[in-house]
Amino acid sequence: MASVPSLASSVEQRVADALASALPEAGATDPLLRRSDRADFQANGILALAKKAKANPRELATTVVEGIPTGDLIRKIEVSGPGFLNITITDRAIVETLAARAADDRLGVPLSPSAGTTVIDYAQPNVAKEMHVGHLRSAVIGAAMVEILEFTGETVVRRHHIGDWGTQFGMLIQYLLEHPHELDHKSDEEVSGEEAMSNLNRLYKASRALFDSDEEFKTRARARVVDLQAGEPQTLALWQRFVDESKIYFYSVFNKLDMDIQDPDVVGESGYNDMLAETCKLLEDSGVAVRSNGALCVFFDEYKGPDGNPTPLIVQKSDGGFGYAATDLSAIRDRVGNLKADTLIYVVDARQALHFKMVFETARRAGWLNDGVKAVQLAFGTVLGKDGKPFKTREGETVRLVDLLDEAVERATSVVREKDEDRGLLTEEEIVENGLQVGIGAVKYADLSTSAARDYKFDLDQMVSLNGDTSVYLQYAYARIRSILRKSGDRAPVAHPELELAPAERTLGLHLDGFGALVEEAAAEYAPHKLAAYLYQLASLYTTFYSECPVLKAETPEQVENRLFLCELTARTLSKGMALLGIRTPEKL
């Protein structure tokens, strides 16, 4: 494995060295290099430097240019405007750098020198409740961040903080105790997620109805909560049945989403029960939390309610019950103390921002978060319907996640089938398999191509469209390249640094070279949408290259090989980038 310095970083180094020798007293200076439409790159750092050194920027730029060697990497360099440098690099440098990337199974992307351990808290469904459209984003964004961070060398611990505790279990357990066969399965065969969920739904509705209409049952249910919290064995065993039945359902949904969720990573609210009393004691003894009307609270000057009084974080209620804050703070202690995390990421709805600000600040005051450990809420916006309002069914119900995924797959399958009608390339089995990959890919990409913090419209027609910024467009670009490579026969993809490149080849080559820097940025900023934007641009540049530069009918055998080389590297970059977003790339479409 060899990391390959990008062309941009090599050019940056040359300019920085020349700046340092032109103005040694200025110390290390950032050349502020960026891609440009006037040349390959433009360096804008001279303006700030000249201002600082009270020099004429254009004269300084001319001196710097004289100190930059050209020929191998840089073809030409010109001063423009008040002191910008326009830099064009050699075709040979582009092809040689890409060849070095192609020779590495990581495409030359370096591992992060500062890699540590990150715990990502994502995909948090609730036990005994159906997953709806609101659960989609946490799962999809979290899974993509896991892949991106792991690719940069980070050790990632996945945590699914499922809602598996609370007063509603008293009602459910008591009902199951009195109707012991409600969660029985039809047969010993493997139970489907649908069957598990319909059992849970039926039981939930029946117990709710009884709880609301029968005072004696309500009393028994409330007493059952006390038994649950005290860890009474029979009560715990029945509670475990709810958790197990729910997991059958959760895993079936995550499976549909093409997400791998392992049992040891599922640590629900109950996983921190043994720590709650100690967490409260530590907070109270250190003075971080204080008693107020019997409740244990943490106060903040900056967070005030509508009445102007401070809004506290309630860690323990006056009746002795623990709030979400106690669980979240105990989870931080566990993740920092036992899992040795130096970064905690919470992929949670933006509407919970205040809660997490207060939790993180409390953990900081208690010393559980410090300069060596940071906690971040990767907050996401809402999924909206086509009308721009929160996504609901016609009846005004929340949309079930499974229905949404099934419909996406159905739509995608008909798009794949229609497209293949004239060509007849695919078997029925391939059409069904591709429909799955295209449908689920479409849902994930629509989510990931929007900045997480923004709301987005769920529009299936748009998502499975072959044109525009969709995963289908990217998947078709990949499949088209694979088809060209299959047709190339005995002509192999070989890099030819001695060739002159056409404009579309250069542009594609420079973009391919930027993959590593982009992955680094997406990882550092927790911004999968930047990776999606990079891949869409890659597919668009490939489309231009394909229409302007004949591949198999190029003029010379060397040109054919070099273009096949560009095709293959584009396919590998697309496939790797899509995999980091959790999206598959079918070989034939």
Side-chain angles (χ1 to χ4, degrees):
M1 191 202 94
S3 80
V4 178
S6 68
L7 291 160
S9 65
S10 305
V11 170
E12 203 164 60
Q13 193 56 57
R14 294 269 173 106
V15 179
D17 291 348
L19 277 170
S21 61
L23 264 185
E25 65 277 16
T29 308
D30 184 353
L32 297 178
L33 194 76
R34 57 181 184 81
R35 293 277 283 119
S36 163
D37 48 7
R38 306 246 162 100
D40 295 332
F41 296 102
Q42 189 174 64
N44 303 339
I46 290 179
L47 296 178
L49 187 63
K51 199 171 174 185
K52 208 162 88 181
K54 300 198 172 27
N56 174 321
R58 223 182 138 88
E59 282 171 18
L60 179 58
T62 311
T63 313
V64 169
V65 168
E66 286 162 4
I68 297 178
T70 55
D72 58 339
L73 170 68
I74 295 173
R75 190 170 83 208
K76 71 172 188 211
I77 180 163
E78 296 169 336
V79 179
S80 93
F84 299 130
L85 302 182
N86 284 343
I87 302 164
T88 305
I89 53 185
T90 64
D91 291 354
R92 173 176 286 279
I94 295 177
V95 178
E96 282 175 349
T97 301
L98 294 181
R101 291 200 177 285
D104 176 44
D105 59 356
R106 289 178 52 84
L107 300 168
V109 177
L111 292 165
S112 165
S114 57
T117 300
T118 294
V119 174
I120 300 194
D121 185 325
Y122 69 108
Q124 310 105 340
N126 291 313
V127 164
K129 287 192 182 158
E130 194 137 25
M131 288 174 73
H132 55 78
V133 65
H135 291 110
L136 179 66
R137 300 205 72 186
S138 173
V140 170
I141 295 167
M145 277 321 305
V146 168
E147 295 298 329
I148 291 168
L149 288 169
E150 283 190 334
F151 186 57
T152 63
E154 190 74 8
T155 302
V156 179
V157 182
R158 303 156 169 80
R159 275 291 172 266
H160 308 293
H161 190 86
I162 62 172
D164 65 355
W165 204 250
T167 50
Q168 75 279 14
F169 283 100
M171 166 183 99
L172 294 168
I173 293 167
Q174 190 59 36
Y175 189 86
L176 185 59
L177 193 68
E178 296 173 17
H179 305 79
H181 297 296
E182 282 299 300
L183 287 183
D184 292 356
H185 296 142
K186 293 193 192 95
S187 71
D188 295 339
E189 269 119 79
E190 202 172 315
V191 185
S192 71
E194 280 293 318
E195 186 191 331
M197 196 61 238
S198 75
N199 279 346
L200 290 163
N201 263 338
R202 195 181 57 246
L203 195 150
Y204 192 89
K205 283 181 181 142
S207 65
R208 178 92 237 152
L210 198 57
F211 187 86
D212 291 341
S213 62
D214 181 335
E215 281 304 316
E216 287 176 4
F217 176 76
K218 187 182 269 186
T219 307
R220 293 196 297 278
R222 288 192 166 141
R224 188 61 57 186
V225 177
V226 179
D227 293 340
L228 176 65
Q229 288 173 340
E232 191 274 316
Q234 185 195 18
T235 305
L236 273 183
L238 289 169
W239 166 80
Q240 190 62 49
R241 284 193 67 188
F242 281 99
V243 174
D244 293 343
E245 193 76 7
S246 299
K247 279 183 175 176
I248 296 173
Y249 162 70
F250 295 158
Y251 293 163
S252 75
V253 179
F254 290 127
N255 206 18
K256 259 188 195 184
L257 263 172
D258 196 13
M259 272 173 58
D260 177 33
I261 291 205
Q262 298 293 331
D263 226 34
D265 302 333
V266 179
V267 182
E269 294 167 3
S270 65
Y272 305 100
N273 282 352
D274 297 348
M275 298 174 73
L276 300 177
E278 189 186 15
T279 295
C280 291
K281 185 173 169 12
L282 290 168
L283 291 170
E284 193 169 9
D285 289 353
S286 63
V288 171
V290 292
R291 293 275 165 195
S292 172
N293 301 328
L296 186 63
C297 303
V298 183
F299 287 95
F300 307 86
D301 296 337
E302 61 268 45
Y303 307 128
K304 294 191 168 49
D307 54 5
N309 292 329
T311 306
L313 181 70
I314 299 172
V315 186
Q316 191 177 18
K317 299 178 217 158
S318 51
D319 65 4
F322 299 103
Y324 286 124
T327 308
D328 286 333
L329 288 162
S330 300
I332 289 178
R333 285 177 55 210
D334 174 59
R335 290 165 186 185
V336 177
N338 299 330
L339 300 175
K340 304 288 179 257
D342 32 51
T343 306
L344 306 176
I345 301 176
Y346 292 79
V347 189
V348 185
D349 189 317
R351 288 172 290 202
Q352 295 191 42
L354 179 61
H355 170 77
F356 279 99
K357 275 185 182 142
M358 291 161 101
V359 166
F360 297 160
E361 177 56 29
T362 301
R364 239 175 239 110
R365 291 180 190 177
W368 303 326
L369 291 176
N370 51 37
D371 293 344
V373 187
K374 66 171 176 172
V376 186
Q377 183 194 358
L378 206 177
F380 55 82
T382 310
V383 181
L384 307 173
K386 281 187 193 179
D387 57 3
K389 298 194 178 108
F391 199 20
K392 297 267 194 270
T393 61
R394 288 202 182 92
E395 298 73 47
E397 300 279 313
T398 319
V399 181
R400 294 169 66 211
L401 188 48
V402 246
D403 294 343
L404 206 83
L405 299 176
D406 289 345
E407 193 186 343
V409 169
E410 205 177 301
R411 290 280 188 94
T413 308
S414 58
V415 167
V416 172
R417 179 170 279 120
E418 227 167 273
K419 180 107 168 126
D420 191 58
E421 254 163 24
D422 320 332
R423 304 177 307 161
L425 291 177
L426 305 172
T427 64
E428 180 56 26
E429 202 179 334
E430 286 171 326
I431 287 174
V432 170
E433 180 57 30
N434 287 352
L436 260 177
Q437 297 187 9
V438 170
I440 297 303
V443 170
K444 288 183 178 179
Y445 187 84
D447 194 315
L448 294 168
S449 57
T450 310
S451 157
R454 288 176 47 204
D455 301 343
Y456 79 96
K457 284 186 187 170
F458 195 95
D459 179 349
L460 272 178
D461 296 327
Q462 171 51 39
M463 287 179 189
V464 297
S465 156
L466 299 171
N467 308 315
D469 188 0
T470 63
S471 67
V472 195
Y473 174 67
L474 299 175
Q475 286 167 321
Y476 267 101
Y478 175 79
R480 177 196 281 166
I481 302 174
R482 299 302 307 165
S483 155
I484 293 171
L485 292 168
R486 281 193 297 274
K487 286 182 195 148
S488 63
D490 52 3
R491 290 164 296 183
V494 180
H496 283 278
E498 75 282 0
L499 292 180
E500 201 175 303
L501 297 178
E505 292 177 294
R506 290 182 60 93
T507 313
L508 177 62
L510 285 165
H511 191 68
L512 281 168
D513 185 51
F515 180 61
L518 192 283
V519 168
E520 204 179 337
E521 191 180 326
E525 296 175 20
Y526 311 127
H529 69 282
K530 292 196 166 178
L531 177 55
Y534 170 90
L535 295 169
Y536 174 58
Q537 202 184 346
L538 178 59
S540 308
L541 292 173
Y542 180 79
T543 305
T544 308
F545 157 80
Y546 181 74
S547 64
E548 290 180 12
C549 306
V551 178
L552 299 176
K553 294 188 173 149
E555 290 167 18
T556 65
E558 290 76 17
Q559 206 172 34
V560 172
E561 291 176 347
N562 198 54
R563 286 180 180 172
L564 283 170
F565 162 73
L566 284 173
C567 287
E568 189 181 54
L569 187 58
T570 302
R572 282 177 60 196
T573 306
L574 272 174
S575 181
K576 183 72 219 172
M578 294 287 267
L580 294 179
L581 296 178
I583 300 173
R584 294 184 188 263
T585 38
E587 294 294 302
K588 286 200 297 198
L589 256 183

